[in-house]
Amino acid sequence: MRKKHIIIIVLVAFLAGYGLLATNESGNLYQLLKNFNYVLKLVQENYVQELNPSDLVRSAIRGMLSKLDPHSVYLTQRDYRELRIHTTGKYGGLGFVVGRVKDVITVISPFEGTPAYRAGLQPGDRIIKIDEIPTAGMGVDEAVSKMRGTPGTSVNLTIEREGVEGLIDFHLVREIIELKNVQYFGLINPDIGYIRVSGFSEGVGAEVRVAIDSLLAQGVKKLILDLRTNPGGLLEQAVEVADNFLPSGKLIVSTKGRVAKSNRDYYSTHESKTQGFPLVILVNKASASASEIVAGAIQDWDIGLVVGDTTFGKGSVQTVIPIEGNEAVKLTTARYYIPSGRCIDISDTTQFLLKNPTIGKKFNSLGGLNREFVSNGSIVPDTVLESEKTLPIITEIQRNGLFMQYTSKWVREHPKVQKGFEISPQMLQDFKAFIKNKGMKFTDSEFDSATKSIKQIIKSMIAQDKWGAKGQYEVLLSEDPWIQFSSKLLSKARSDKDLFKLVGVK
């Protein structure tokens, strides 16, 4: 138990170093730490079965952090490694999204230009073996860890493909995979550009600049920035993205915490190349954190119109603090405030210590329109659109991976399909028969009620299989009601001021 005594002594010294023991409660805290050490010893020596004391201590740390707020967490080696991948946007691997479909490790989508894509892996491929190790009973995390590795090393996959007899073997060599934050940018029509940002890992600010420059070169005079279902990421990258749209010298976000080093103001440093452009920002309930910083700064400075659904409401800053053993603590150290002074954060104040001090207060925009906002802990769009609900039959088809299985098989059987194809009534009947043969139970009325969504999904997934992400987005954007609404609005506006007038802001 000597090692555990050392842990407690180090913990006490750490707390004392931060002044947490220099209170009237210090004696009680010393006693509680002593009690913790004693209980750990009791459990280790007397519990009905042998336990790993390291796991017990980690569980205790997790329990302590869980009492703070939803975002303060303990990161194991694997968690910490995954976090670094998400923040840097790079890892050594094969280049595809994998999931578990009906208890089978399954390829969801390969990334263009990666080893998986070049080798011909397809959505819906079921991975049966990894380096001759069967994947039956294997979790997604374990499968991913076996396929990732040092660039230049190889991995063998054995897959099962819908409509193909026998198993197919792939020999792949790992490479550095760079995840793109800007998944797509292009033209909605000759003067309206579209940029889709899916995350805020390193480099997204530069990616957005490249997209803007490319669209401007094509004659774009109006923009849609799509931040829907974007969970956020790095604070500094949110600042860089916002800097692309704001005039120089404008406050983008402020962070305020208990210690002085957490207090900082972030300003735009470049003149926007899109100044005066009619600009629409799309957000929804899953737009969070860095997405809310960008949308909030643009809204507060009256630069663009925020359209969609009320955002998630994650307005706190987490600092990742490495600890011994390649593990880390992600600790909430500050809140962020958008330029008007609003804190965009919703916390369960009955359970967690973090509370939003701006809830219920009124704030005004700073760009000249003097719009009034009542802080509710999220970004409320200037124009609210209703999100379409996913029907149960759609969820069940997706859960079983049947869209992927059908579309990958269909593309192989129709190699000459051209862009602009439509989903025929016969294809719908074929798909209906296909999912029935796969064991799905549903009524004709359930299927008929979902026909519109089924056609859209099948069409977009065929386009992805055949022409990659670009082809898929071209299909999705042509049928997206929020894009259609935004495009109609933008087509009537010649300037940013016109855009606000169109929705009743004078």
Side-chain angles (χ1 to χ4, degrees):
M1 289 300 296
R2 182 173 179 178
K3 184 177 179 181
K4 295 304 170 187
H5 283 295
I6 292 173
I7 289 175
I8 299 303
I9 291 170
V10 171
L11 179 59
V12 171
F14 174 81
L15 293 173
Y18 277 80
L20 296 182
L21 296 183
T23 68
N24 292 333
E25 299 294 325
S26 60
N28 291 337
L29 186 52
Y30 275 119
Q31 184 60 53
L32 287 171
L33 290 170
K34 184 177 178 181
N35 290 348
F36 174 81
N37 193 36
Y38 179 63
V39 171
L40 179 65
K41 183 175 185 294
L42 285 177
V43 171
Q44 191 176 6
E45 294 178 353
N46 299 287
Y47 188 65
V48 66
Q49 64 188 53
E50 188 174 353
L51 297 170
N52 185 333
S54 296
D55 290 341
L56 293 174
V57 173
R58 289 188 179 96
S59 296
I61 296 173
R62 289 192 187 95
M64 173 176 63
L65 294 174
S66 71
K67 294 296 183 182
L68 304 180
D69 67 90
H71 311 295
S72 294
V73 294
Y74 176 76
L75 302 174
T76 63
Q77 288 185 16
R78 186 180 67 190
D79 297 333
Y80 192 20
R81 184 170 59 249
E82 288 298 312
L83 179 65
R84 289 198 295 266
I85 288 171
H86 286 296
T87 55
T88 62
K90 298 179 182 179
Y91 67 93
L94 305 177
F96 62 92
V97 178
V98 67
R100 193 171 182 84
V101 179
K102 294 196 74 173
D103 294 328
V104 179
I105 303 298
T106 303
V107 176
I108 304 300
S109 62
F111 305 139
E112 291 181 60
T114 63
Y117 184 87
R118 295 194 301 270
L121 281 175
Q122 298 177 4
D125 283 349
R126 297 179 286 276
I127 302 174
I128 306 304
K129 295 180 183 178
I130 303 173
D131 284 334
E132 298 303 317
I133 300 173
T135 60
M138 189 181 291
V140 171
D141 289 341
E142 183 182 356
V144 167
S145 68
K146 290 183 182 300
M147 290 184 284
R148 285 181 181 167
T150 305
T153 59
S154 62
V155 59
N156 296 303
L157 302 182
T158 301
I159 68 103
E160 183 180 66
R161 180 173 290 169
E162 181 71 29
V164 177
E165 291 187 10
L167 301 177
I168 308 172
D169 292 320
F170 288 87
H171 178 79
L172 304 170
V173 178
R174 299 178 178 95
E175 296 178 1
I176 289 291
I177 307 299
E178 295 192 19
L179 303 175
K180 291 184 178 180
N181 295 281
V182 176
Q183 292 191 331
Y184 173 83
F185 65 87
L187 300 179
I188 300 295
N189 64 38
D191 67 342
I192 300 177
Y194 171 87
I195 303 173
R196 165 64 179 157
V197 181
S198 61
F200 284 85
S201 59
E202 290 179 5
V204 63
E207 289 181 49
V208 171
R209 281 194 295 276
V210 168
I212 290 174
D213 288 343
S214 177
L215 292 172
L216 290 177
Q218 296 177 68
V220 160
K221 298 295 182 184
K222 306 167 185 181
L223 279 174
I224 298 173
L225 178 64
D226 193 345
L227 300 177
R228 288 177 292 178
T229 317
N230 183 324
L234 298 174
L235 171 65
E236 291 77 7
Q237 291 301 314
V239 171
E240 282 200 32
V241 170
D243 198 2
N244 286 292
F245 300 98
L246 271 62
S248 178
K250 299 297 185 183
L251 179 65
I252 295 173
V253 66
S254 300
T255 60
K256 300 178 183 179
R258 186 164 60 89
V259 296
K261 65 181 180 180
S262 296
N263 301 326
R264 184 175 175 184
D265 295 331
Y266 296 82
Y267 290 86
S268 55
T269 57
H270 301 90
E271 288 297 337
S272 170
K273 296 179 181 180
T274 63
Q275 192 165 344
F277 280 29
L279 171 65
V280 168
I281 313 297
L282 292 178
V283 296
N284 63 8
K285 293 178 181 178
S287 302
S289 189
S291 297
E292 294 170 294
I293 290 175
V294 174
I298 288 171
Q299 186 181 57
D300 277 358
W301 285 108
D302 299 321
I303 298 296
L305 198 70
V306 178
V307 171
D309 209 345
T310 300
T311 60
F312 182 83
K314 196 269 184 184
S316 57
V317 180
Q318 282 70 48
T319 302
V320 178
I321 306 166
I323 57 179
E324 289 187 10
N326 290 321
E327 298 178 333
V329 170
K330 186 166 69 169
L331 188 67
T332 298
T333 54
R335 301 182 184 93
Y336 71 73
Y337 295 75
I338 57 177
S340 64
R342 292 178 287 166
C343 176
I344 306 303
D345 193 64
I346 297 176
S347 291
D348 185 348
T349 54
T350 62
Q351 181 179 356
F352 301 109
L353 301 181
L354 190 64
K355 297 180 181 179
N356 186 336
T358 70
I359 291 289
K361 295 182 179 179
K362 294 181 179 180
F363 299 87
N364 293 93
S365 65
L366 308 172
L369 296 179
N370 200 36
R371 293 181 293 158
E372 185 175 88
F373 308 115
V374 178
S375 177
N376 73 341
S378 57
I379 300 291
V380 178
D382 302 302
T383 300
V384 176
L385 300 179
E386 186 176 352
S387 299
E388 290 189 4
K389 295 181 179 179
T390 303
L391 296 172
I393 187 173
I394 297 293
T395 301
E396 189 66 12
I397 295 171
Q398 291 172 326
R399 188 182 68 81
N400 288 289
L402 298 179
F403 282 121
M404 283 190 300
Q405 293 179 35
Y406 176 81
T407 55
S408 59
K409 180 175 181 291
W410 192 91
V411 169
R412 288 194 302 274
E413 294 172 349
H414 300 80
K416 295 183 179 181
V417 62
Q418 299 294 314
K419 287 187 176 182
F421 72 96
E422 295 296 335
I423 306 301
S424 67
Q426 185 58 53
M427 282 183 69
L428 274 178
Q429 291 305 311
D430 290 344
F431 180 71
K432 185 177 181 179
F434 176 82
I435 62 177
K436 275 189 175 180
N437 290 337
K438 291 295 181 179
M440 269 199 63
K441 305 293 183 183
F442 56 90
T443 65
D444 288 342
S445 61
E446 286 175 322
F447 187 89
D448 292 344
S449 67
T451 295
K452 180 182 176 182
S453 296
I454 290 171
K455 289 173 67 175
Q456 289 175 340
I457 294 171
I458 290 176
K459 189 175 181 180
S460 70
M461 293 186 74
I462 288 174
Q464 181 187 37
D465 279 4
K466 189 69 179 176
W467 302 290
K470 186 174 185 295
Q472 182 186 34
Y473 269 99
E474 287 172 351
V475 169
L476 290 172
L477 296 179
S478 67
E479 301 184 2
D480 187 325
W482 287 20
I483 297 295
Q484 293 171 355
F485 173 87
S486 301
S487 298
K488 288 179 181 177
L489 196 62
L490 287 168
S491 66
K492 299 175 184 177
R494 295 184 179 181
S495 68
D496 53 353
K497 295 181 178 61
D498 286 345
L499 188 60
F500 285 105
K501 290 178 182 177
L502 287 168
V503 295
V505 178
K506 299 181 180 179

